[in-house]
Every structure is written in structure tokens, then in C-alpha cells.
């Protein structure tokens, strides 16, 4: 499988610590740092999950450094603060975008393109429309308000909040055959069917949507069925939310899980 991932990336940093008291200056917890982890986030996390599943993936993303730092009580796994630094980036190079649209980006022939758009500036609506229009098997996960520019996507993956934000557009224009709505612990919705998910102890949901997207693409290319791909993606997500931080899953974990 050859897959191209396009979108905004960041560094996901987790500062885990102990909280044993409340600050005397203000009613906030005092966190004493114990350990620190860093991983590639957003589009980079989708890319890392595809690699972990054994996919030959390539990433086109921003050069600017965006950082999301989460401060977490390690005893309860409760996040107490998130700080986003340099929360924007420059637009994709037009030459690169044109080469992807003209199928001239590198020697690989991509079986699918994944657009992971966190709306930090790397992709515009026009960029996404042109990428979808000129390629096959384009999976889009975007934080943008949707309109007619999204119509050429093969599949659109959004969460329940994003679905409500775009409900009027979907209700007017259909999209039931390409819209996948993730519902957290309640599974996901596709083509008027609810795909339930196993209840598991959750340690961290950070990056779970990226894992779902990577699993969806892998499952679709492997089984040529979006319904089976959804079930595979849910297995991936069920595993990853039981891990700390922004994590990945392997094909071996999914098969044995």
C-alpha cells in the first residue's frame, strides 16, 4: 500500500506530574513534573499510525514548528492544562500541490491520499477541492466549515461536534454514502447505520481520531469495503485510547486484540 498524507503537523508534548496540593495563590492544582514525552501530532500522527500498520506512507506537511503541550496528572490521567504554541503555519507550496494534482509527486503511485486538515493554514478550501478532484481514494478529515468544495472527496471523516456544525449543509446535500461521523465511546455513524464499539478503560483520547483515520484507510485498501474498514478502524481506536499520550497501534495488536 502506498499512501500520501497531506496536512498540518505539530509536536504533541505531554508533561506528566504529581498533584498533591492546591496553590495558595489561586485555586489551581500544583503539578510537579515527573516525565516528559514528545510525538508527532495531527497529520504526522496519521502518518505514524499508517507506518505502524505497515503502510508505505509519505508525508507532505508544514516546516514551521507548532507545539501542543499537555500537563497531565499521572495518577488520574486527567489533563489539567493545554498550551498551544505557534498555532499557525504557511500554505502548502503551490508547486508541490500542482505535482500531486498532476500525479507527478515522486515515483510512487498512491493507492490513497489522506488529507488531515487541522485548519492551521497549510491547506485552503481550494487546495482540498483540487486535491480531491484530481485523485482517487481521497480521505478527508478537516476542521473547516464545509461547503461545495468538499464534494469531490471520496470519504469525509468528522466527529460529532463537526457534524453538528455542518448539519445544515449535509442535510441539504446528502453525502450519506461518503460521510463517516465518529461518536467517541458510542462508535460511529455511516450511511444511517451506527457501528458500536467495545467499551474499554480509557487512558487518553488525544490523537484517537488520527488513529481511526489511519485504520480506516488501511482497512479500505486491504478489504475494499468501507464497512469493514470502519470496523477495523474502531479496533485500532479501541486499542490506542488505552495507551497514554499520542500513540500508534500495530497490525499485530489489532489482529490479536
Amino acid at each position: 500500500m502506498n499512501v500520501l498524507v497531506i496536512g498540518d503537523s505539530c509536536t504533541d508534548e505531554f508533561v506528566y506530574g504529581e498533584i498533591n496540593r492546591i496553590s495558595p495563590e489561586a485555586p489551581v492544582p500544583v503539578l510537579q513534573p515527573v516525565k516528559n514525552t514528545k510525538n508527532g501530532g495531527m497529520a504526522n500522527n496519521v502518518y505514524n499510525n499508517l507506518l505502524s500498520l505497515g503502510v508505505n506512507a509519505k508525508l507532505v506537511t508544514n516546516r514551521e514548528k507548532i507545539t501542543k503541550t499537555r500537563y497531565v496528572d499521572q495518577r488520574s490521567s486527567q489533563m489539567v492544562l493545554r498550551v498551544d504554541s505557534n498555532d499557525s503555519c504557511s500554505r502548502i507550496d503551490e508547486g508541490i500541490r500542482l505535482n500531486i494534482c498532476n500525479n507527478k509527486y515522486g515515483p510512487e503511485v498512491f493507492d490513497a491520499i489522506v488529507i488531515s486538515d487541522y485548519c492551521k493554514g497549510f491547506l485552503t478550501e481550494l487546495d482540498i477541492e483540487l486535491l480531491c478532484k484530481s485523485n482517487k481514494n481521497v480521505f478527508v478529515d478537516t476542521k473547516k466549515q464545509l461547503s461545495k468544495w468538499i464534494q469531490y472527496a471520496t470519504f469525509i471523516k468528522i466527529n460529532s461536534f463537526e457534524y453538528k456544525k455542518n448539519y445544515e449543509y449535509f442535510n441539504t446535500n446528502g453525502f450519506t454514502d461518503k460521510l463517516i461521523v465518529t461518536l467517541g465511546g458510542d462508535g460511529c455513524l455511516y450511511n444511517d447505520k451506527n457501528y458500536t464499539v467495545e467499551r474499554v478503560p480509557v487512558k487518553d483520547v488525544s490523537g484517537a481520531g488520527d488513529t481511526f483515520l489511519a485504520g480506516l484507510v488501511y482497512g479500505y485498501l486491504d478489504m475494499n469495503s468501507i464497512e469493514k474498514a470502519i470496523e477495523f478502524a474502531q479496533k485500532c481506536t479501541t486499542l490506542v485510547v488505552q495507551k497514554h499520550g499520542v500513540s500508534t497501534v500495530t497490525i499485530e495488536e489489532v489482529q490479536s486484540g
Side-chain angles (χ1 to χ4, degrees), residues 13 38 55 86 89 105 172 175 180 205 223:
E13 180 178 17
K38 292 183 179 182
V55 176
N86 304 319
C89 63
Y105 190 79
T172 303
F175 288 93
I180 299 161
V205 298
M223 295 175 280

Side-chain angles (χ1 to χ4, degrees), residues 4-248:
L4 178 62
V5 180
I6 311 169
D8 331 67
S9 290
C10 73
T11 297
D12 277 318
E13 180 178 17
F14 288 80
V15 179
Y16 295 95
E18 296 180 351
I19 296 177
N20 298 309
R21 62 191 177 97
I22 300 298
S23 170
E25 294 90 0
V28 295
V30 176
L31 185 141
Q32 296 178 301
V34 174
K35 67 176 181 177
N36 181 295
T37 65
K38 292 183 179 182
N39 304 90
M42 300 194 302
N44 203 328
N45 188 35
V46 178
Y47 167 75
N48 286 335
N49 270 275
L50 286 167
L51 292 179
S52 186
L53 290 170
V55 176
N56 179 29
K58 196 166 188 175
L59 175 65
V60 175
T61 191
N62 50 285
R63 294 182 179 180
E64 295 91 346
K65 185 176 181 181
I66 298 172
T67 303
K68 297 180 182 179
T69 305
R70 299 169 176 88
Y71 296 86
V72 182
D73 173 32
Q74 67 171 5
R75 184 186 299 113
S76 64
S77 296
Q78 177 66 49
M79 186 195 309
V80 296
L81 178 67
R82 187 178 116 177
V83 179
D84 291 3
S85 304
N86 304 319
D87 201 33
S88 63
C89 63
S90 57
R91 187 179 176 184
I92 186 174
D93 180 83
E94 185 177 3
I96 293 176
R97 195 253 298 155
L98 286 171
N99 282 338
I100 297 170
C101 289
N102 295 324
N103 300 305
K104 295 180 180 178
Y105 190 79
E108 299 92 345
V109 176
F110 295 107
D111 300 303
I113 289 180
V114 183
I115 295 176
S116 177
D117 172 44
Y118 275 79
C119 210
K120 305 299 182 182
F122 192 67
L123 295 169
T124 66
E125 288 89 347
L126 178 60
D127 292 327
I128 296 174
E129 180 180 9
L130 293 173
L131 288 165
C132 291
K133 195 173 183 179
S134 58
N135 290 279
K136 65 176 184 177
N137 292 338
V138 184
F139 293 73
V140 179
D141 183 1
T142 179
K143 306 302 179 186
K144 289 180 172 59
Q145 186 74 35
L146 301 181
S147 63
K148 63 180 181 180
W149 54 268
I150 197 65
Q151 62 184 308
Y152 298 105
T154 309
F155 294 107
I156 307 163
K157 176 260 170 193
I158 56 176
N159 60 37
S160 56
F161 173 78
E162 294 156 355
Y163 177 73
K164 291 176 183 177
K165 186 173 68 172
N166 292 281
Y167 177 77
E168 185 176 345
Y169 179 72
F170 289 130
N171 190 47
T172 303
N173 296 277
F175 288 93
T176 56
D177 60 336
K178 62 173 62 181
L179 183 65
I180 299 161
V181 184
T182 56
L183 306 172
D186 293 322
C188 72
L189 185 68
Y190 172 69
N191 212 6
D192 295 326
K193 178 181 177 180
N194 181 243
Y195 292 76
T196 58
V197 67
E198 177 189 358
R199 296 285 181 175
V200 295
V202 176
K203 293 182 179 178
D204 202 327
V205 298
S206 303
D210 301 328
T211 300
F212 180 94
L213 183 59
L216 185 73
V217 175
Y218 176 94
Y220 183 74
L221 294 178
D222 184 53
M223 295 175 280
N224 196 31
S225 165
I226 193 62
E227 292 82 7
K228 291 180 180 179
I230 288 171
E231 294 174 353
F232 180 86
Q234 289 181 312
K235 289 181 181 179
C236 293
T237 309
T238 297
L239 290 168
V240 84
V241 297
Q242 297 180 69
K243 301 181 180 183
H244 287 291
V246 173
S247 304
T248 62

